Each structure stands twice: as C-alpha cells, then as structure tokens.
C-alpha cells in the first residue's frame, strides 16, 4: 500500500462491503497492519444477525493465514484487542435498500461516521441466477451509492469490479465514466428497472406454476 494511502486512512472510518471476499480481506489486513490508527472498520457480510456476522468474520478472515504476519508482529492478545477496538461486524445485503441494515441506530451511526466506502461485494459465478446477479451486481452498487449520498462526510466511494467488466476488449483499458444504461460496446442501452420488472414477472409466473425451489433456481439461471 502506498505511503500516501496509509496516511490518508489515519483516523478515518471505513465501510467495506463483501468483507469476506478475496480482495476485501486482503485490504482489511493491510489496513490493520499498516495503519492501526484507522478510526473504525465497518465490515459488511451476509449474515442473519450480529452474532453470525461476527462469527463469519472470525472464521473467514481473522483466523486465516493471511493474518500470520500481523499476528506474529503484535501477538494474539494485541491482535484480538485491535480487532475488538476497530472492527464492527455488520450483517447486511447490498441488494437491499440501506444495504439491508435493519438496526436504525447503527445505520445512523454509520451515516454520521463513515469517511470511505469500499464496495467489494459481488457474485462472480458464471451461472448465477439472474435475479441474484441483478440484485447484487447491478442494484447493489446503486444501493451503496444511494447510501453514500446519505452520509454526512463521505470522502471516497471506491467500487471494485471484476476483470470481466472489460468484456471482450484486450490491451490497456482505461477507466471512463458511463452514463446510466450505457453498455461496453456503446451500441445498446440497458434499462435496469425494466430488467428487474422482467425478473419479478418471471418469479410470479413460476410461483403460479407451482415450481419447486430447484426448478425456480434453474429457470432463473436460464433467464440470465
């Protein structure tokens, strides 16, 4: 991590979505190891409640070999104290409004405190159900953007895309802003609200036909 980035993170409150993912957990380790003066890390994962979110973070992040260096440097006791002091587990779902955070007091605290949002939540399955992929990968970033607009003092919103966002292009591909609905080839337009309506209509149709959960899952994959 660049020294300027480390300095920028000092005394900042950061929200990381998809915290148990490959890139996010590396980012969390780097922050705790290189900038222990970070104010707070809100780590959002899909979980049923706070206890489940805390357990998932423990199992899928902090107990991994990734934290070997930090654990060796500061010891188990100090590392556990650092995690307890800096990390706030958040059960949520970015496909929902306000990222599925149901605790209104917690939500208000987040809006007041957060300086930086790192969105690393996504599904990368090639055969994902269309309703799930649309909810997480398309409406998820929109929900996070809308949440960021409600924050009192946001300084940075960083969205992490998969490599596949480049489509079939090759070579050096520079980032550029896209208008809502604009596609990679620049020829077609996508109406995400129309896509969601299509999904909702399809689900209603499958329910009316009394499809099983497995049959519904396959039908939604085929729709994608």
């Amino acid at each position: 991590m660049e020294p300027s980035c480390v300095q920028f993170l000092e005394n900042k409150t950061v929200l990381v979505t998809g915290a148990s993912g490959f890139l996010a957990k590396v980012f969390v380790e780097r922050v705790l190891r290189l900038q222990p003066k970070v104010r707070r890390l809100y780590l959002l994962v899909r979980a049923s409640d706070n206890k489940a979110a805390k357990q998932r973070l423990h199992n899928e992040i902090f107990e991994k070999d990734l934290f070997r260096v930090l654990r060796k440097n500061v010891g188990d006791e100090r590392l556990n104290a650092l995690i307890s002091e800096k990390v706030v587990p958040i059960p949520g779902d970015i496909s929902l409004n306000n990222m599925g955070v149901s605790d209104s007091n917690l939500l208000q605290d987040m809006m007041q405190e957060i300086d930086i949002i790192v969105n690393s939540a996504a599904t990368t399955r090639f055969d994902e159900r269309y309703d799930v992929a649309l909810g997480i990968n398309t409406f998820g970033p929109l929900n996070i953007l809308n949440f960021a607009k409600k924050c009192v003092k946001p300084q940075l919103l960083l969205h992490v895309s998969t490599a596949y966002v480049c489509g079939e292009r090759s070579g050096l591909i520079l980032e550029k802003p896209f208008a809502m609905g604009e596609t990679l080839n620049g020829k077609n337009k996508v109406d995400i609200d129309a896509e969601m309506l299509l999904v909702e209509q399809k689900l209603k149709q499958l329910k009316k036909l009394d499809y099983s959960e497995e049959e519904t899952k396959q039908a939604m994959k085929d729709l994608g």
Side-chain angles (χ1 to χ4, degrees):
M1 188 180 291
E2 293 291 331
S4 58
C5 294
V6 175
Q7 184 178 3
F8 177 66
L9 290 167
E10 183 175 351
N11 203 35
K12 296 294 195 305
T13 295
V14 185
L15 166 66
V16 182
T17 69
S20 61
F22 174 73
L23 290 177
K25 67 177 65 173
V26 171
F27 174 73
V28 169
E29 189 275 340
R30 290 292 178 89
V31 172
L32 290 176
R33 177 160 55 88
L34 301 176
Q35 186 48 278
K37 292 183 180 180
V38 66
R39 185 171 184 271
R40 184 163 295 142
L41 289 173
Y42 285 108
L43 302 185
L44 188 142
V45 293
R46 298 189 73 169
S48 57
D49 53 30
N50 289 335
K51 183 178 179 181
K54 184 176 181 179
Q55 189 62 49
R56 186 175 179 192
L57 291 175
H58 176 79
N59 294 342
E60 299 183 25
I61 301 181
F62 301 122
E63 285 301 305
K64 295 298 183 182
D65 196 50
L66 173 65
F67 279 78
R68 182 186 70 257
V69 174
L70 182 55
R71 186 173 288 106
K72 181 180 179 181
N73 289 346
V74 303
D76 286 337
E77 185 176 348
R78 174 56 187 149
L79 176 58
N80 291 336
L82 182 66
I83 292 170
S84 178
E85 177 188 356
K86 303 293 184 179
V87 173
V88 181
I90 306 292
D93 182 345
I94 67 164
S95 67
L96 303 175
N97 184 44
N98 287 327
M99 303 174 299
V101 179
S102 58
D103 186 329
S104 58
N105 292 327
L106 173 60
L107 195 62
Q108 287 300 317
D109 288 343
M110 292 169 67
M111 291 176 182
Q112 292 290 329
E113 297 176 13
I114 288 172
D115 303 289
I116 301 166
I117 298 174
V118 179
N119 177 36
S120 186
T123 175
T124 55
R125 295 175 183 170
F126 289 109
D127 64 342
E128 184 63 270
R129 292 175 52 143
Y130 189 51
D131 53 336
V132 174
L134 188 67
I136 297 175
N137 291 358
T138 301
F139 280 89
L142 182 60
N143 290 333
I144 290 170
L145 175 61
N146 289 335
F147 171 79
K149 291 178 179 179
K150 300 175 187 176
C151 292
V152 174
K153 53 188 182 77
Q155 296 187 39
L156 174 66
L157 168 56
L158 175 64
H159 174 70
V160 181
S161 296
T162 70
Y164 306 106
V165 76
C166 296
E168 298 179 351
R169 295 176 296 171
S170 61
L172 179 62
I173 302 171
L174 301 178
E175 290 188 86
K176 73 164 192 173
F178 283 86
M180 181 65 80
E182 185 179 354
T183 57
L184 288 172
N185 62 25
K187 298 177 182 178
N188 303 315
K189 294 289 183 179
V190 176
D191 185 335
I192 62 173
D193 292 316
E195 292 297 308
M196 182 56 76
L197 180 60
L198 174 65
V199 163
E200 292 171 350
Q201 289 173 341
K202 184 66 175 180
L203 287 171
K204 287 180 181 179
Q205 180 189 26
L206 297 176
K207 184 176 181 180
K208 188 176 181 180
L209 294 172
D210 200 26
Y211 269 41
S212 67
E213 178 59 34
E214 192 60 34
E215 289 173 325
T216 299
K217 180 179 180 181
Q218 188 57 53
M220 296 312 293
K221 284 186 177 183
D222 293 341
L223 180 65

